Amino acid sequence: MTEQETATRRAGPGWIAVGVAVAMIVLVTAGWSLVNTLIPGKTPVTAGQELALGGDGTTRAALVVPEDGWEMDVAASHPGQSYRLEHGSLVLDVGQPGESEAAPGTDRRWEGARRVLRSQAPSTEIGAPATVVSADGTEGLAADVSRSQGPGAVVLFPAPGDNYAVRMVLQGTDGDPGPSPEDLAHMITFSGEAGHG
């Protein structure tokens, strides 16, 4: 056996290992592409569709989408608790606030919401709060918000009984502020626990 034949035989298994590694990479890449097509990133939300936001055993909160064209970001939503909806360049986050905003009382909850928004982006400007009313007549507070990404709004509703709250943050990214705080407020409704079966 010549030196060249010996070198060729030694190199053979190395090329096989490289080939197997390349085949595995192709298989994994193709597999992820298949998974991404099977698991939707966004799902349409139709006009009038009700999205549950939780409750306290006595009342329940829900988001009711007023028009077609909204899509739910599946990865960023937790059905029954919180949702991220998108409509063109608008992003709407809705859910129950965290512990830092959980102090009872509308004014304390509002200050908590302001702190959270400012902590996310210190340059955030939040207008003076005004009273808004939900679809069922519950009073809350809302204000226009200006961030580096663009204009938006924040709406905060303490639930009847003040045991929990619902916060909405709308962010526009192309200069369009989207629905007014009053229109956003009408997307929320509170009802008795029995009303949601």
Side-chain angles (χ1 to χ4, degrees):
M1 184 177 296
T2 67
E3 285 182 32
Q4 184 177 9
E5 289 174 333
T6 304
T8 302
R9 283 191 179 174
R10 287 184 191 151
W15 282 109
I16 291 172
V18 170
V20 169
V22 168
M24 292 300 290
I25 291 170
V26 168
L27 183 61
V28 168
T29 304
W32 279 118
S33 297
L34 179 61
V35 167
N36 285 338
T37 59
L38 294 176
I39 299 174
K42 294 180 185 167
T43 183
V45 181
T46 58
Q49 185 172 346
E50 185 175 292
L51 304 174
L53 292 166
D56 63 0
T58 304
T59 63
R60 292 186 52 83
L63 171 71
V64 180
V65 179
E67 61 187 6
D68 290 334
W70 289 92
E71 294 180 308
M72 182 187 348
D73 181 331
V74 175
S77 298
H78 301 89
Q81 300 173 18
S82 64
Y83 300 91
R84 173 169 286 176
L85 303 181
E86 298 178 10
H87 190 289
S89 66
L90 300 173
V91 177
L92 177 63
D93 288 303
V94 183
Q96 291 190 26
E99 287 183 20
S100 62
E101 299 167 76
T106 305
D107 292 338
R108 284 188 282 181
R109 288 184 195 272
W110 181 258
E111 284 308 311
R114 285 176 51 87
R115 279 193 306 274
V116 167
L117 288 173
R118 301 286 310 266
S119 71
Q120 293 170 347
S123 64
T124 298
E125 295 179 17
I126 303 167
T131 301
V132 290
V133 180
S134 69
D136 65 289
T138 301
E139 287 190 357
L141 295 174
D144 292 321
V145 174
S146 177
R147 296 173 128 177
S148 59
Q149 304 98 320
V154 59
V155 178
L156 181 73
F157 281 109
D162 204 25
N163 294 325
Y164 66 100
V166 171
R167 182 187 65 207
M168 309 172 79
V169 178
L170 178 71
Q171 177 68 63
T173 57
D174 68 352
D176 177 11
S180 70
E182 293 80 11
D183 290 338
L184 285 176
H186 282 96
M187 293 171 69
I188 297 294
T189 187
F190 294 92
S191 62
E193 194 71 66
H196 288 269

